[in-house]
Amino acid sequence: MAKNTAIQKILRNHIVSGSEVAGEPVAIRIDQTLTQDATGTMAYLELEAMGIDKVKTELSVSYVDHNMMQNGPENRNDHLYLQSVAAAKGVIFSRPGNGICHQVHLERFGIPGKTLLGSDSHTPTNGGIGMMAIGAGGLDVALAMAGQPFRMAYPKIIGVKLTGKLSPWVAAKDIILKMLEILTTKGNVGCMVEYFGPGVKTLTVPQRATITNMGAELGVTCSVFPSDEMTKEFLEKQGRGESWAELKADDDAEYDKLVEIDLSSLKPLAACPSSPDHIKSIAELAGIPVGQVIIGSCTNSSFRDLSIVAAMLRGRKISPDVTLAIAPGSRQVLEMLARNGSLADIIAAGARILETGCGPCIGQGQSPANDTVTLRTFNRNFPGRTGTKGDQAYLVSPEVAAAAALTGRITDPATLGFAYPDVRDADKFLIDDSMMITPPCCGKGIEIIRKKTIGSPPVNQALPDMINGTVVIKVGDKTSTDDIMPAGVHLKHRSNIPEYAKVVFERFNEEGKPTFAQRAMAVRDAGGHGIIVGRDSYGQGSSREHAAICPMYLGVKALIAMAIERIHAANLVNFGIVPFTFADKADYDKIEQGDSLVIEGLRDKLAKKEMPITAVLTKKDGSKAEIKLNYHLSDEDIKIILAGGRLNVK
Ligand code: MIC
Ligand code: SF4
């Protein structure tokens, strides 16, 4: 009998159509969904547009964790909409202040062996509890809430064998940073990661969740840990022992690719500016002056993470050269720290306590000063994500972050001169779900609160047969969705597409010259079509579908890149933008911003799956060339693109 990996077992239990061959399209049943406020408003507007009365999943939760600054009425308007639409559609509403979606979901809802689809790219966090947890655009999550299966390519499975045990001062963060060093952020599209081996049982569920969380930065679809005695213990401590089920790979199960990590050999690491896979050892970086330290985010803000920080800070003061900010991942964590005195230790050391939520991770406050180093326990350090142009953000473990807060420099915590604090996970977690609002069994008649900043999803036209294109922008490698659709201070416009669209590709705008939005609108208003040209790993990072919706709103009809990341490619399809890849990568160099690209008979060619498709390039000097374009689209994708997006498919 064939030996199965844990991932194959979950998939087999959930496949509704397609074949178990890597790369082939499959559709899987989704048991649970989660949304957060920054992507959630659009997802629920889309759900409403589908005319669905009540969600059809086993469980759907709407979290508010990103947009909580409330500078102006927009954020609170969003919250009111989300709370009322959740009640109307049968969704649990997690109120602002209850915590970051992934952390709270792990604590209160994650179930081993089930599938979870979330409108946030770090949804794979719940792989730490043995779920197949996948990030997607809001529209795909809305479709899952409407009871439709999730479509993806059957994955290649990367097996990661963990042996040994972490040494003192080495953390789960260092395991995933090691993975990023080995696999990098590029080239892992279509893969899932499965951890196995004797090292697994040495890691607690929150530690595993740190690893699966930041698996998002590898560009894989999700990462899954087995569900074992450690998982059972975690669920029991959360008062949810009955949710436990065992999940493990068969002995000798085969993986498409194998990585081995000896945990005992790891040392503290950092992801250096400005990519999560720019890995160096802390020993190498030691001595670099640090201006700011922030501990939190869905990667590293569990009770255990913050308890170790508290133990390191206890009775000590932070360096006068550093500001230290701490954002606990959930209200459960914050209240437990408050009750056992750890919070007082953190405050006494000089830390600034932030609200439980995403906060500075998504550029909501705490931007560092110019030309200073910021150390963060987060998962992303894309250029400018902190809100400071030219930022120097390093991603590190809570242990390394606390060490730098004490010394004012990047410091190997082993050299601090005190013993590794003996900090364990709680014996029992504090359970209080009162910040969670359960929907009534029938939501009919509930008024959905729609203040004036709540727009509606823009509708696209069917794909034209001829693309009369102008290259509105040409960008380089690893263009992230933060580059395309900045968050930070603009995050509050997520429910208002015309307003948000003004800042598409803002980072690339040049002073005194027309912005991307102005250039794209000029092309659109003259009857032409916008084209974006990217390089490798285009669209990495966030799941924000606004990185497709806003360009679509500005008249963009196609993207041409060397490689496109999974979630972004799916979002482009959902909003009717054709995701092309260069048949010949050398053609990238031939194209410049402002060039014209004409594709004739596109509808017919796509319908017949003709490939490559020829685009005629006319340069500004009048010279011409032919560019051959490929695409990786299923029949369903093509149907959606021809219709001009998923909302146009009846
Ligand atoms: C992020 O970490 O970039 C975010 C903000 O959580 C995003 C979602 C968003 O843009 O709203 C993500 O990771 O999907
Ligand atoms: Fe929030 Fe940051 Fe996690 Fe995204 S990565 S969900 S912004 S904490």
Side-chain angles (χ1 to χ4, degrees):
M1 219 176 79
K3 313 279 186 195
N4 289 309
T5 67
I7 286 177
Q8 284 166 335
K9 290 182 186 182
I10 303 183
L11 283 171
R12 189 149 307 153
N13 284 336
H14 288 86
I15 284 191
V16 292
S17 67
S19 56
E20 296 178 26
V21 178
E24 288 295 307
V26 284
I28 61 168
R29 196 182 67 249
I30 295 299
D31 302 319
Q32 301 187 350
T33 62
L34 71 77
T35 54
Q36 40 89 337
D37 49 324
T39 54
T41 44
M42 224 12 96
Y44 294 103
L45 287 165
E46 287 152 0
L47 185 71
E48 285 191 85
M50 289 171 205
I52 301 295
D53 285 342
K54 193 168 190 218
V55 294
K56 306 219 164 25
T57 44
E58 291 173 12
L59 173 102
S60 288
V61 190
S62 168
Y63 294 91
V64 177
D65 51 6
H66 282 63
N67 248 325
M68 312 210 299
M69 294 273 271
Q70 296 182 218
N71 278 332
E74 293 89 346
N75 295 167
R76 193 60 196 144
N77 288 350
D78 282 352
H79 303 172
L80 293 178
Y81 168 70
L82 289 169
Q83 181 166 345
S84 56
V85 78
K89 304 288 176 196
V91 174
I92 295 175
F93 181 69
S94 172
R95 301 176 62 186
N98 200 35
I100 306 175
C101 54
H102 311 302
Q103 172 72 22
V104 178
H105 208 87
L106 190 77
E107 292 166 357
R108 307 306 306 140
F109 299 115
I111 300 181
K114 298 260 179 195
T115 53
L116 166 68
L117 196 72
S119 61
D120 189 283
S121 62
H122 290 103
T123 302
T125 310
N126 272 257
I129 210 167
M131 288 193 101
M132 176 165 289
I134 301 176
L139 184 48
D140 281 328
V141 177
L143 287 163
M145 288 193 273
Q148 299 212 23
F150 176 63
R151 298 178 304 111
M152 62 177 186
Y154 193 86
K156 282 205 173 115
I157 304 173
I158 304 175
V160 182
K161 184 172 180 186
L162 301 179
T163 59
K165 189 173 178 302
L166 292 176
S167 314
W169 300 115
V170 184
K173 182 64 155 270
D174 300 310
I175 304 176
I176 187 62
L177 292 178
K178 186 75 196 170
M179 284 287 290
L180 279 153
E181 184 181 64
I182 298 170
L183 293 178
T184 80
T185 55
K186 293 199 299 189
N188 305 313
V189 176
C191 298
M192 292 188 181
V193 173
E194 177 170 324
Y195 291 88
F196 70 103
V200 166
K201 64 174 185 303
T202 68
L203 300 170
T204 63
V205 168
Q207 284 178 308
R208 296 175 188 184
T210 293
I211 298 167
T212 51
N213 170 283
M214 223 179 148
E217 276 50 68
L218 296 167
V220 297
T221 306
C222 65
S223 306
V224 180
F225 266 87
S227 167
D228 56 9
E229 284 303 310
M230 196 64 104
T231 322
K232 191 172 177 194
E233 198 185 305
F234 176 81
L235 282 165
E236 279 166 356
K237 288 178 182 175
Q238 290 284 357
R240 305 201 288 120
E242 75 292 345
S243 294
W244 184 75
E246 189 180 43
L247 173 73
K248 63 172 185 184
D250 293 330
D251 291 341
D252 304 321
E254 282 181 18
Y255 296 93
D256 294 296
K257 180 172 176 171
L258 206 59
V259 173
E260 195 163 334
I261 297 182
D262 174 7
L263 302 180
S264 328
S265 71
L266 293 181
K267 298 268 181 275
L269 300 172
C272 302
S274 289
S275 177
D277 62 356
H278 185 199
I279 308 296
K280 289 196 179 157
S281 74
I282 293 298
E284 245 176 293
L285 302 167
I288 296 179
V290 173
Q292 181 191 55
V293 175
I294 312 182
I295 300 174
S297 92
C298 55
T299 320
N300 276 119
S301 57
S302 66
F303 175 71
R304 195 258 171 203
D305 279 342
L306 296 191
S307 298
I308 193 118
V309 169
M312 289 175 69
L313 298 181
R314 188 165 299 140
R316 302 187 172 91
K317 298 286 175 202
I318 61 167
S319 156
D321 302 327
V322 167
T323 59
L324 168 65
I326 299 197
S330 69
R331 203 170 67 106
Q332 180 184 79
V333 171
L334 178 58
E335 193 174 336
M336 285 173 69
L337 294 172
R339 290 192 185 280
N340 78 6
S342 298
L343 186 61
D345 294 328
I346 293 175
I347 295 170
R352 298 159 66 180
I353 308 302
L354 306 180
E355 197 174 2
T356 48
C358 300
C361 178
I362 190 60
Q364 300 266 299
Q366 298 281 330
S367 298
N370 292 115
D371 311 316
T372 59
V373 163
T374 174
L375 246 61
R376 299 168 167 226
T377 63
F378 306 167
N379 46 37
R380 290 191 172 143
N381 58 349
F382 301 142
R385 185 168 157 105
T386 62
T388 299
K389 229 179 170 162
D391 53 8
Q392 299 172 45
Y394 291 73
L395 308 175
V396 297
S397 68
E399 287 85 339
V400 171
L406 289 171
T407 62
R409 295 180 175 269
I410 298 187
T411 304
D412 182 343
T415 64
L416 282 171
F418 55 85
Y420 187 55
D422 182 18
V423 169
R424 312 222 172 125
D425 230 333
D427 290 335
K428 178 130 192 34
F429 292 98
L430 188 151
I431 297 155
D432 172 8
D433 290 332
S434 58
M435 292 282 279
M436 221 90 80
I437 301 178
T438 310
C441 53
C442 172
K444 277 216 172 79
I446 288 184
E447 189 209 343
I448 299 179
I449 303 173
R450 242 180 273 275
K451 301 281 182 197
K452 65 176 178 197
T453 52
I454 309 285
S456 43
V459 183
N460 198 11
Q461 309 296 319
L463 184 78
D465 197 36
M466 178 178 137
I467 299 275
N468 178 13
T470 299
V471 178
V472 195
I473 195 165
K474 178 182 173 185
V475 287
D477 265 350
K478 294 188 186 179
T479 299
S480 74
T481 47
D482 277 83
D483 292 326
I484 307 168
M485 234 22 280
V489 289
H490 305 300
L491 202 56
K492 66 178 185 181
H493 296 307
R494 283 283 174 93
S495 325
N496 185 343
I497 300 301
E499 194 54 41
Y500 199 26
K502 289 181 186 160
V503 296
V504 177
F505 282 116
E506 188 192 44
R507 196 165 82 74
F508 301 89
N509 289 340
E510 289 174 67
E511 233 177 292
K513 296 199 179 155
T515 62
F516 173 88
Q518 288 165 335
R519 297 197 303 272
M521 279 195 292
V523 171
R524 182 192 68 185
D525 297 346
H529 306 120
I531 294 188
I532 296 171
V533 173
R535 213 162 183 276
D536 212 357
S537 265
Y538 183 88
Q540 68 171 7
S542 155
S543 67
R544 59 192 70 153
E545 60 187 354
H546 298 78
I549 301 180
C550 292
M552 170 203 106
Y553 173 79
L554 296 173
V556 171
K557 291 286 178 217
L559 158 78
I560 312 171
M562 291 186 190
I564 311 167
E565 294 296 312
R566 175 189 66 89
I567 305 181
H568 187 58
N571 286 337
L572 291 171
V573 170
N574 278 344
F575 291 94
I577 297 180
V578 193
F580 285 120
T581 51
F582 286 105
D584 178 359
K585 289 184 177 180
D587 283 347
Y588 172 85
D589 292 328
K590 294 188 185 149
I591 306 178
E592 277 166 299
Q593 185 179 310
D595 288 350
S596 130
L597 269 175
V598 173
I599 310 172
E600 301 212 31
L602 180 57
R603 291 186 64 86
D604 204 37
K605 287 177 183 156
L606 282 176
K608 289 191 190 133
K609 284 199 148 179
E610 217 173 90
M611 203 154 74
I613 287 180
T614 305
V616 178
L617 169 73
T618 309
K619 312 254 338 142
K620 276 173 278 174
D621 64 7
S623 61
K624 288 193 188 292
E626 283 194 350
I627 307 286
K628 304 273 183 217
L629 307 172
N630 285 342
Y631 51 90
H632 307 275
L633 298 169
S634 66
D635 295 347
E636 183 68 17
D637 291 336
I638 290 176
K639 194 167 120 196
I640 295 170
I641 286 182
L642 292 178
R646 183 64 185 74
L647 289 172
N648 294 351
V649 178
K650 293 295 163 229

